[in-house]
Amino acid sequence: MVVQGEISDVAALLGDPARAKMMVALLGGKALTATEMALEADITPQTASGHLAKLLARQLITVQKQGRHKYFQLHGSEVAALLETLLNLSANIDHSTVKTGPKDPGMRQARVCYDHLAGTQSVALRDSLLGRGILVEESGQLALTGAGLAWFKGRGVDIETLSKKPRPLCKNCLDWSERRHHLAGALGAWILSDLLEKKWVERDLDSRTVRFSDSGTRQFSKTYLEA
Amino acid sequence: MVVQGEISDVAALLGDPARAKMMVALLGGKALTATEMALEADITPQTASGHLAKLLARQLITVQKQGRHKYFQLHGSEVAALLETLLNLSANIDHSTVKTGPKDPGMRQARVCYDHLAGTQSVALRDSLLGRGILVEESGQLALTGAGLAWFKGRGVDIETLSKKPRPLCKNCLDWSERRHHLAGALGAWILSDLLEKKWVERDLDSRTVRFSDSGTRQFSKTYLEA
DNA sequence: TCCATACTTCGTTCGCCGCCGAAGTATGCC
DNA sequence: GGCATACTTCGGCGGCGAACGAAGTATGGA
């Protein structure tokens, strides 16, 4: 009996189309039930149940039981990062002819990437923050400047608390559709939750798409995009 | 016929134990021939040939033909990063009881991680550079300081040239055996090649292990580890 | 020219695993 | 209690694909 975890075991779990679909569905960040994921992957609940048991055994996902429902989530951002890497690598194939990313224009424009925003809007956001000296990029790494610290504090962000988390504050994340970096990390996560709380954007019920309201677009643009 | 690359296709390639072994063998950074990899994975050459064709089709590896030999390598550091992530995730399983990393003490101490150094020595290296103000870490991101720039220039590193490459200069890379970060990126790669060129370390012929010579240990310690 | 070596292609076997139907357990609502 | 819903377990079917033997194609050296 093999005790040591083999790299092929983990990869094989993601190598099944149904399981992969289920995992990508979880990339949306929402906790999903077993039946929801079964629908997502076009399989019966009992098949999904088997898959979920395997994913749990390898600790790629976590469960929370709530009455007769079981809510599944990705096991931390490490697993999410693995999925992102896979998405980018699989999109890279034959990059001369194949259009990258989703076809849905709404999803191209703005979608959830585990816990932060992705899509054209989010690439524009990163560009703007860099252009205004709120963020700097040094040898491929993002960092908050002193001016940026003040700026975010003025917007009500508790940077000290965010910094204490065991994850980078700012992080580049390669955008699946845009092929450019957008802002991830604790700060990226904060911005998304802030947008949701302020109701500038609204999550689609059954996809990763997020929709900007009319006033949300205006306010987002004024706050984050205009110099 | 599916044109768009599916994430499960890539994962499935790494999901086969034989193929996974072949890919991990390439993590050593050396180009290998088909038969060498067949030996590594305990399969016959014709089976390996089939695997390699599939890996090539998905552009996870590259070939270079040289006479009757074919030399295979990983297709860039993106693929290497994917393998690293998988290694770490699979080692994470049952972390309460399972010893992580390799059993070979030499390999624990120093080994090659695609193009840079890994193992206890390399973790010590990063700690020392941070402690001496040559590198700084800001919200999980490594960066070279002004003092560090001067220090590396004094050691003959052409930082300008290194910075021009489309990859981060300094990068944290989670160490498989140590579970702590070591130094990766263009600078990490430069240090390894410098150690090899100066003959302070020598690569093992058929593993990822690198061995420090007696004088190499002394000089490495004096140069990089002592304040 | 002849042989050895490196790699590939083809055909066959065989085991694993994803899948569903049917039946079983837990939970909540009326 | 009775019924619906969510999830699980079991058993058997079916197909994909990894593996090797055998034979075929390049390359290099004697």
Side-chain angles (χ1 to χ4, degrees):
Chain A
M1 175 182 152
V2 183
V3 181
Q4 170 104 8
E6 287 277 343
I7 145 175
S8 56
D9 295 339
V10 177
L13 285 178
L14 301 175
D16 175 73
R19 276 192 301 255
K21 276 181 202 161
M22 292 163 61
M23 291 295 276
V24 170
L26 287 179
L27 247 192
K30 283 189 208 161
L32 300 176
T33 67
T35 2
E36 282 171 334
M37 300 176 74
L39 282 175
E40 191 72 35
D42 287 311
I43 49 177
T44 56
Q46 63 266 36
T47 306
S49 176
H51 286 322
L52 289 169
K54 287 174 194 173
L55 291 169
L56 272 174
R58 282 289 167 184
Q59 307 189 9
L60 294 183
I61 55 175
T62 58
V63 218
Q64 242 178 312
K65 209 174 172 180
Q66 218 166 95
R68 53 181 165 176
H69 294 277
K70 275 184 156 184
Y71 289 98
F72 296 89
Q73 278 184 294
L74 294 187
H75 193 292
S77 54
E78 241 187 332
V79 178
L82 175 63
L83 289 170
E84 294 292 332
T85 313
L86 275 171
L87 270 175
N88 279 309
L89 266 178
S90 50
N92 265 339
I93 298 162
D94 212 30
H95 48 302
S96 52
T97 59
V98 173
K99 275 272 183 184
T100 62
K103 280 166 202 130
D104 175 17
M107 193 151 169
R108 269 193 113 80
Q109 205 211 4
R111 63 181 181 278
V112 168
C113 178
Y114 187 51
D115 62 0
H116 57 274
L117 203 62
T120 49
Q121 292 284 17
S122 124
V123 171
L125 166 66
R126 173 175 168 282
D127 284 349
S128 167
L129 294 181
L130 278 171
R132 293 153 76 184
I134 290 168
L135 299 180
V136 285
E137 185 168 28
E138 203 175 354
S139 52
Q141 312 282 1
L142 277 188
L144 194 64
T145 63
L149 187 75
W151 188 83
F152 271 109
K153 272 198 174 166
R155 300 216 65 253
V157 189
D158 184 358
I159 297 282
E160 279 75 18
T161 307
L162 285 184
S163 300
K164 279 189 192 114
K165 294 187 182 169
R167 64 182 295 196
L169 187 61
C170 317
K171 192 163 165 287
N172 275 325
C173 180
L174 190 54
D175 197 285
W176 174 35
S177 54
E178 297 301 307
R179 293 305 176 76
R180 299 197 40 217
H181 287 123
H182 59 243
L183 174 64
L187 198 55
W190 180 87
I191 290 181
L192 174 59
S193 66
D194 188 50
L195 292 177
L196 286 167
E197 194 184 320
K198 288 200 166 66
K199 299 246 173 30
W200 294 1
V201 304
E202 195 180 14
R203 299 206 44 164
D204 191 82
L205 282 179
D206 38 38
S207 85
R208 294 167 63 189
T209 309
V210 300
R211 258 189 294 274
F212 277 83
S213 70
D214 284 350
S215 82
T217 309
R218 253 179 286 118
Q219 303 202 67
F220 176 78
S221 177
K222 197 159 75 181
T223 310
Y224 287 111
L225 302 186
E226 287 166 21
Chain B
M1 177 180 152
V2 181
V3 180
Q4 170 103 9
E6 286 276 342
I7 147 174
S8 55
D9 295 339
V10 177
L13 285 178
L14 300 175
D16 176 73
R19 274 192 301 256
K21 275 182 203 161
M22 291 163 60
M23 291 295 276
V24 171
L26 286 179
L27 247 192
K30 282 190 208 162
L32 300 177
T33 67
T35 5
E36 283 170 334
M37 299 176 76
L39 282 175
E40 192 70 36
D42 286 311
I43 50 178
T44 56
Q46 64 265 35
T47 306
S49 176
H51 286 322
L52 289 168
K54 287 173 192 170
L55 292 168
L56 271 174
R58 282 289 166 185
Q59 307 189 8
L60 294 183
I61 55 175
T62 59
V63 219
Q64 240 179 315
K65 208 173 173 181
Q66 218 164 93
R68 52 182 166 177
H69 295 277
K70 274 186 157 183
Y71 290 98
F72 296 89
Q73 277 184 294
L74 293 187
H75 192 292
S77 53
E78 240 187 332
V79 178
L82 175 62
L83 289 170
E84 294 292 332
T85 313
L86 275 170
L87 271 175
N88 279 309
L89 266 178
S90 49
N92 265 337
I93 299 161
D94 213 29
H95 48 303
S96 52
T97 57
V98 173
K99 275 273 184 182
T100 63
K103 280 164 202 132
D104 174 17
M107 193 153 169
R108 269 194 112 81
Q109 205 212 3
R111 64 181 182 278
V112 168
C113 179
Y114 187 52
D115 62 359
H116 57 273
L117 202 62
T120 50
Q121 291 283 18
S122 124
V123 172
L125 166 67
R126 175 175 168 282
D127 284 349
S128 166
L129 294 181
L130 278 172
R132 292 152 76 184
I134 290 168
L135 299 179
V136 285
E137 185 169 27
E138 204 175 355
S139 51
Q141 312 282 0
L142 277 188
L144 194 64
T145 63
L149 188 74
W151 188 83
F152 270 109
K153 273 199 173 166
R155 300 216 66 251
V157 189
D158 184 358
I159 296 283
E160 278 76 18
T161 307
L162 285 185
S163 300
K164 279 190 193 113
K165 295 187 183 170
R167 63 181 296 194
L169 187 62
C170 318
K171 192 163 165 287
N172 276 325
C173 179
L174 191 54
D175 197 286
W176 175 34
S177 54
E178 296 302 306
R179 294 305 175 75
R180 299 199 39 217
H181 287 122
H182 59 243
L183 175 64
L187 199 55
W190 180 87
I191 290 180
L192 173 60
S193 66
D194 188 50
L195 292 177
L196 286 167
E197 194 184 321
K198 287 200 168 65
K199 299 245 172 31
W200 293 2
V201 303
E202 196 180 12
R203 299 206 44 163
D204 191 80
L205 282 179
D206 37 40
S207 83
R208 294 167 63 189
T209 309
V210 300
R211 260 188 293 276
F212 277 82
S213 71
D214 284 351
S215 83
T217 309
R218 254 179 284 119
Q219 302 200 69
F220 176 78
S221 177
K222 197 158 75 181
T223 309
Y224 287 111
L225 302 187
E226 287 166 21

